[in-house]
Amino acid sequence: MILEAVMLQVREGLEEEYEEAFRQASGIISSMRGYQSHELQRCLEVKGKYLLLVKWDTLEDHTIGFRGSAEYQEWKLLLHQFYDPFPTVEHFSKVEH
């Protein structure tokens, strides 16, 4: 399992509109091959700041499968207009203990 983690900064005053667009976009990502789960967290200290966590079976399910799909174009259309600056996406794997 791979964890995609993205810190998102939504342009001021567009938070409610963004959250509604994200609810629509959730159906897109959850239909993709290799998708396991996702959650969006709102920061309590910084207005407009969110943390997106998505679990994928493999890195390629996200980077090639999702990003290379027609569905990703719809995702982008719904969400990318809200971000300033544009976010950096990072991927993590669990450290076994």
Side-chain angles (χ1 to χ4, degrees):
M1 187 276 296
I2 297 297
L3 179 64
E4 170 193 356
V6 190
M7 198 65 70
L8 305 165
Q9 185 63 50
V10 171
R11 292 185 289 134
E12 187 175 344
L14 298 178
E15 295 85 2
E16 286 183 28
E17 189 179 339
Y18 171 70
E19 289 179 22
E20 179 55 37
F22 189 86
R23 282 188 274 280
Q24 293 176 345
S26 289
I28 296 170
I29 198 167
S30 63
S31 71
M32 299 306 298
R33 180 175 172 268
Y35 164 89
Q36 292 185 12
S37 67
H38 73 282
E39 59 185 79
L40 183 66
Q41 302 280 334
R42 183 185 312 114
C43 183
L44 299 177
E45 290 81 18
V46 180
K47 185 168 176 57
K49 188 175 188 178
Y50 295 83
L51 173 63
L52 172 62
L53 300 171
V54 185
K55 292 181 181 178
W56 298 95
D57 289 342
T58 68
L59 179 62
E60 293 74 21
D61 285 331
H62 176 233
T63 59
I64 298 169
F66 180 53
R67 285 191 181 162
S69 70
E71 291 88 348
Y72 181 67
Q73 298 309 311
E74 188 178 349
W75 170 273
K76 280 175 51 175
L77 193 62
L78 281 168
L79 300 177
H80 286 194
Q81 63 185 312
F82 292 101
Y83 304 136
D84 185 25
F86 195 76
T88 299
V89 177
E90 297 176 304
H91 300 91
F92 298 84
S93 62
K94 187 176 183 178
V95 176
E96 298 301 328
H97 51 88

